[in-house]
Amino acid sequence: MAKRIQTTKAMLRIALTGPESSGKTTLSTSISEHYGVSFVAEYARMYLENNKGLYEQKDLDCIAQGQLERILSSKEEIVISDTDFSVLEVWSQYKYGEVSAVINEYSRQDLFDLHILCCPDIPWEEDSLRENPTSRNELFERYKESLLKHNKRSIIVAGPHEARLKKSLQSIDALLKF
């Protein structure tokens, strides 16, 4: 069983989520550059590269734990995470038909102040770690459902990068004013 995430709300935490090749890393980079902070890279990439892209469902829990450790170890005032736990929740349900207790718990908890859901309305970019170019719209709908189910504060960004960035920055700036 996953343990409860212990965290302080002294910093603002933003997560990007969405299907593969929907612009999460590009947007994470731009948001981070705008605020002068580094972003928390997707732990899954490193994990999968080390395992030559091979994984089983149980590996998703290791990936979730690795991502959590990266997020919680960040000392930035604004933490931009290039993924969230809904990525693992949606993918596990899609690929394996079930989600572990660990990932369910991490998805349910309120770690982020804002989730930015990236629409897959940009061209697919081939990558040796990406698996599913044909179901991005279906997966996008599952991300929306997950965010609603867990009552997460979220926005959807779509269109060209500049429009995505502008909407993201406006939403983050609104949170910073509180």
Side-chain angles (χ1 to χ4, degrees), residues 3 18 45 48 97 108 120 130 156 165-166:
K3 59 183 180 177
R45 285 202 150 278
L48 294 172
R108 185 186 63 75
R130 292 182 177 150
I156 295 174
L165 180 59
K166 180 179 179 181

Side-chain angles (χ1 to χ4, degrees), residues 27 31 35 114-117 119 154-174:
L27 189 54
I31 293 169
Y35 291 108
L114 178 66
H115 291 75
I116 299 171
L117 175 56
C119 184
S154 63
I155 62 168
I156 295 174
V157 295
H161 177 70
E162 297 75 24
R164 292 167 179 245
L165 180 59
K166 180 179 179 181
K167 184 174 182 178
S168 298
L169 296 178
Q170 288 172 336
S171 296
I172 295 168
D173 286 345

Side-chain angles (χ1 to χ4, degrees), residues 22 36 55 69 74 79 97 130-131 167:
S22 61
Y55 67 97
E69 289 170 6
S74 176
V79 177
R130 292 182 177 150
E131 297 181 46
K167 184 174 182 178

Side-chain angles (χ1 to χ4, degrees), residues 5 10 22-23 26 46 49 51 60 67 75-76 82 86 88 94 121 123-124 142 156-157 162 164-165 167-168:
I5 298 171
S22 61
T26 301
M46 184 192 72
E49 286 168 356
N51 291 294
L60 299 180
Q67 189 69 32
K75 303 298 184 217
E76 301 283 2
D82 184 10
S86 68
L88 296 168
Y94 181 80
D121 62 347
W124 171 266
R142 290 184 184 210
I156 295 174
V157 295
E162 297 75 24
R164 292 167 179 245
L165 180 59
K167 184 174 182 178
S168 298

Side-chain angles (χ1 to χ4, degrees), residues 45-142:
R45 285 202 150 278
M46 184 192 72
Y47 188 93
L48 294 172
E49 286 168 356
N50 288 340
N51 291 294
K52 298 179 178 36
L54 302 174
Y55 67 97
E56 299 174 0
Q57 184 180 12
K58 65 182 179 178
D59 293 306
L60 299 180
D61 286 352
C62 297
I63 291 169
Q65 186 61 42
Q67 189 69 32
L68 177 63
E69 289 170 6
R70 283 183 169 195
I71 292 164
L72 295 179
S73 68
S74 176
K75 303 298 184 217
E76 301 283 2
E77 290 184 28
I78 302 173
V79 177
I80 309 297
S81 181
D82 184 10
T83 192
D84 72 346
F85 301 106
S86 68
V87 169
L88 296 168
E89 176 190 36
V90 167
W91 188 248
S92 184
Q93 184 64 45
Y94 181 80
K95 184 167 181 157
Y96 298 107
E98 61 184 10
V99 181
S100 74
V102 169
I103 293 172
N104 269 325
E105 180 65 17
Y106 287 174
S107 296
R108 185 186 63 75
Q109 292 184 37
D110 195 20
L111 180 62
F112 298 102
D113 299 289
L114 178 66
H115 291 75
I116 299 171
L117 175 56
C118 296
C119 184
D121 62 347
I122 59 176
W124 171 266
E125 289 186 24
E126 190 63 40
D127 179 314
S128 64
L129 298 177
R130 292 182 177 150
E131 297 181 46
N132 202 346
T134 60
S135 300
R136 294 190 305 156
N137 290 327
E138 175 190 346
L139 291 167
F140 177 75
E141 293 302 320
R142 290 184 184 210

